[in-house]
Amino acid sequence: MHTRVADGRAAVVREVRAAAPLLTGVAAPLPARPPWLTAALNTQAGRPLGRVRPRAVLVGQDAESPPVGVALLSFRRRGVGTVVTLLGAEPGPLPPGRPQSRLPARDDEVAARLAAGVIGLLDRVRGPWTLRLTGLPLGDPTVRYLAAGLPDAQLATARSRRLVDELDTVADVVRSRDPAEVERWLPAVLAQLPAAQRDFVRAAARLHAATGELEVAVVPADDGPSALLLTLLDRGTAGEERWPWWGTSDVGGLRRELGAPAGTLTAVAGLAQLGRRGAVSRGAAAG
């Protein structure tokens, strides 16, 4: 087994494409697949230079083989520190109700190597860092090995709340998967979102519409839509599964209910923290 690191947008884009068979094989959710991740990478590329940097840790049979384990990460500088999250978890609203992320590994041995690769990458970060991996399924083996290898790691579980689509019970709804219809209603969707999320939602909606994985639902009204809903269409071995992503309604028909639990792993390394191998960390030595 060989572990490698891809650094920077161009390299990570290549690895996202190479990891597509793995992501399909482990039934990764849509926010952990290439269209969503590509939208995240494109959005990050438009932010101030050097503030956000994608990196990927990959495990393969050798240096040239497709990955059998992958951790796609985003490194964001904040003050003197670095915040490390999963790629695709931050640019815009995630579809609620179930785990949205993965640290996919073919088997337990690969998961152990993948976790060791992530820890090795964190060891090379200059200054303090915070690792926060959210939206992960319970029992993820890579998370288990990460928690064991990071003495300061904390695991938390929270019950999510999913968005329930009942628009058809309250109004006449127009639904479409046509990319042109998605494009027609995107301005109305974006107008309802915080400015910081608009670029990502625009890019992600267009990419998923192009692959037939997005539906827009509209309740038309004389002065503009009275309800809008974007739904991701997750196609797996069990068939197509509808996953409401974002919506707003003045006529009802959208509600929240308890969804599946999801896990979060956090770990922090500070300026004066001892290194994991018993030596003072570089940040502490520099201070």
Side-chain angles (χ1 to χ4, degrees):
M1 290 284 183
H2 176 83
T3 303
R4 65 185 188 274
V5 174
D7 189 357
R9 179 181 177 276
V12 173
V13 166
R14 289 194 297 269
E15 298 298 351
V16 166
R17 292 170 180 163
L22 171 67
L23 297 170
T24 300
V26 301
L30 285 172
R33 293 188 207 163
W36 188 283
L37 298 173
T38 300
L41 286 163
N42 290 343
T43 302
Q44 287 181 352
R47 291 180 175 173
L49 184 65
R51 299 298 296 176
V52 181
R53 190 169 188 90
R55 292 184 172 95
V57 179
L58 305 113
V59 178
Q61 295 296 335
D62 52 52
E64 303 299 327
S65 64
V68 293
V70 59
L72 298 162
L73 305 170
S74 180
F75 287 68
R76 181 191 302 275
R77 293 289 298 176
R78 287 185 180 170
V80 299
T82 301
V83 178
V84 184
T85 59
L86 288 166
L87 179 64
E90 284 195 338
L94 287 161
R98 52 190 168 108
Q100 309 104 338
S101 304
R102 287 292 187 279
L103 289 167
R106 185 187 60 189
D107 53 39
D108 200 68
E109 178 188 358
V110 173
R113 289 180 175 271
L114 182 60
V118 172
I119 292 171
L121 181 59
L122 292 171
D123 278 338
R124 298 196 292 274
V125 174
R126 292 183 177 274
W129 52 259
T130 299
L131 175 71
R132 182 172 174 80
L133 309 181
T134 61
L136 290 162
L138 304 187
D140 185 294
T142 308
V143 173
R144 184 174 72 248
Y145 283 114
L146 274 173
L150 296 167
D152 56 345
Q154 297 183 358
L155 291 171
T157 302
R159 190 74 178 270
S160 61
R161 295 185 65 84
R162 70 187 187 100
L163 181 61
V164 180
D165 174 10
E166 296 176 338
L167 287 174
D168 291 297
T169 67
V170 299
D172 293 327
V173 184
V174 178
R175 298 179 183 270
S176 179
R177 305 180 183 192
D178 184 346
E181 283 299 297
V182 173
E183 192 69 29
R184 175 188 175 190
W185 294 108
L186 258 182
V189 171
L190 299 177
Q192 302 281 339
L193 292 169
Q197 296 182 350
R198 291 171 189 165
D199 287 346
F200 171 76
V201 171
R202 182 187 295 109
R206 287 171 173 170
L207 284 170
H208 286 89
T211 58
E213 296 172 314
L214 184 74
E215 176 192 273
V216 61
V218 183
V219 176
D222 293 339
D223 56 350
S226 58
L228 286 164
L229 176 66
L230 298 180
T231 298
L232 294 169
L233 307 170
D234 196 346
R235 300 188 181 101
T237 56
E240 183 178 272
E241 185 176 359
R242 300 174 61 81
W243 193 357
W245 173 16
W246 175 92
T248 183
S249 176
D250 297 328
V251 295
L254 295 177
R255 62 180 177 86
R256 300 273 183 175
E257 68 178 22
L258 287 176
T264 296
L265 181 144
T266 58
V268 178
L271 288 171
Q273 186 176 24
L274 291 178
R276 297 181 200 89
R277 298 177 180 86
V280 176
S281 67
R282 281 192 300 271

